[in-house]
Amino acid sequence: GNNFRYIKIQKRMQRFKSKKIKKISEINIKREFTFITHGTENEFLQVLKILFNANSPIKKRLRDNPLYVRLHPSLSQKKVQNFIFLLRKDQKYDLSEIIIINNQDETFIETLNKTKVCIFGDSSLINIALSMNISVISLRTSFTFKNPIQSVYLNKKNLFFY
């Protein structure tokens, strides 16, 4: 047999909490856009630059709606707030309101169910949203790597590339 070694992860690194999930019918969709981050600061910054660039086709839709952000547990909220502050000072970018979701207040699945359109950069969690038929915007943040979308979802009508 295989001798796999399991290491218990730190509590702060848990992406999913095992709490009772509300029925989908009980969850009111109230967010237009939610950005689900990957675990890198660079990806976070690249996605914001793509979304809020003066020439961005998405920016017009974001102007009247706040952008909700679900941070990966490895990202520092303080650093993320600093990136937002610096981008607001840069005239190349026109940021709408950005609201950081408290991961302790809702599960990942609840976040997906509360959102009309989820935005992903490098996160493979994009496949969960696509499997749930949630509208997804996939932003390519690397010239080297394509977004981690499983081939079964590439032709879905709820998937948009920018």
Side-chain angles (χ1 to χ4, degrees):
N2 292 326
N3 292 326
F4 292 111
R5 196 171 136 227
Y6 296 96
I7 300 171
K8 187 174 179 179
I9 62 168
Q10 298 172 9
K11 250 189 190 277
R12 68 178 187 83
M13 293 299 289
Q14 280 185 320
R15 300 265 342 232
F16 303 98
K17 302 285 184 225
S18 57
K19 74 176 198 178
K20 187 176 179 188
I21 297 175
K22 297 175 186 173
K23 291 181 194 171
I24 292 175
S25 60
E26 293 175 8
I27 298 173
N28 295 329
I29 294 177
K30 57 184 174 188
R31 299 178 186 145
E32 194 68 29
F33 298 99
T34 300
F35 167 33
I36 311 292
T37 67
H38 189 54
T40 67
E41 294 169 359
N42 185 52
E43 184 249 10
F44 176 80
L45 197 53
Q46 289 299 324
V47 167
L48 288 189
K49 285 180 174 183
I50 293 168
L51 289 175
F52 296 109
N53 183 307
N55 301 322
S56 169
I58 306 166
K59 188 183 85 159
K60 292 179 184 104
R61 291 183 63 193
L62 283 167
R63 184 176 296 138
D64 299 327
N65 297 291
L67 174 66
Y68 288 84
V69 177
R70 184 176 179 98
L71 293 178
H72 186 280
S74 67
L75 291 177
S76 159
Q77 190 161 342
K78 190 174 184 176
K79 280 187 180 179
V80 163
Q81 294 288 5
N82 190 46
F83 287 141
I84 293 168
F85 175 78
L86 292 174
L87 283 177
R88 284 195 195 286
K89 293 178 107 179
D90 191 329
Q91 294 188 356
K92 288 187 283 190
Y93 306 104
D94 182 20
L95 275 64
S96 66
E97 179 183 9
I98 296 175
I99 300 170
I100 307 293
I101 297 169
N102 183 342
N103 292 355
Q104 305 304 315
D105 291 345
E106 64 190 46
T107 67
F108 174 70
I109 299 300
E110 287 173 331
T111 297
L112 294 179
N113 283 322
K114 288 181 177 182
T115 304
K116 288 185 182 177
V117 180
C118 288
I119 300 168
F120 290 88
D122 299 331
S123 178
S124 62
L125 295 175
I126 191 171
N127 296 295
I128 296 172
L130 289 168
S131 74
M132 294 171 62
N133 288 319
I134 294 168
S135 291
V136 168
I137 294 174
S138 176
L139 300 176
R140 189 165 180 184
T141 60
S142 167
F143 289 108
T144 312
F145 302 105
K146 290 185 179 179
N147 294 16
I149 300 170
Q150 294 175 9
S151 59
V152 294
Y153 300 124
L154 285 173
N155 295 320
K156 299 248 328 176
K157 292 187 181 342
N158 59 319
L159 174 61
F160 306 94
F161 291 97
Y162 290 100

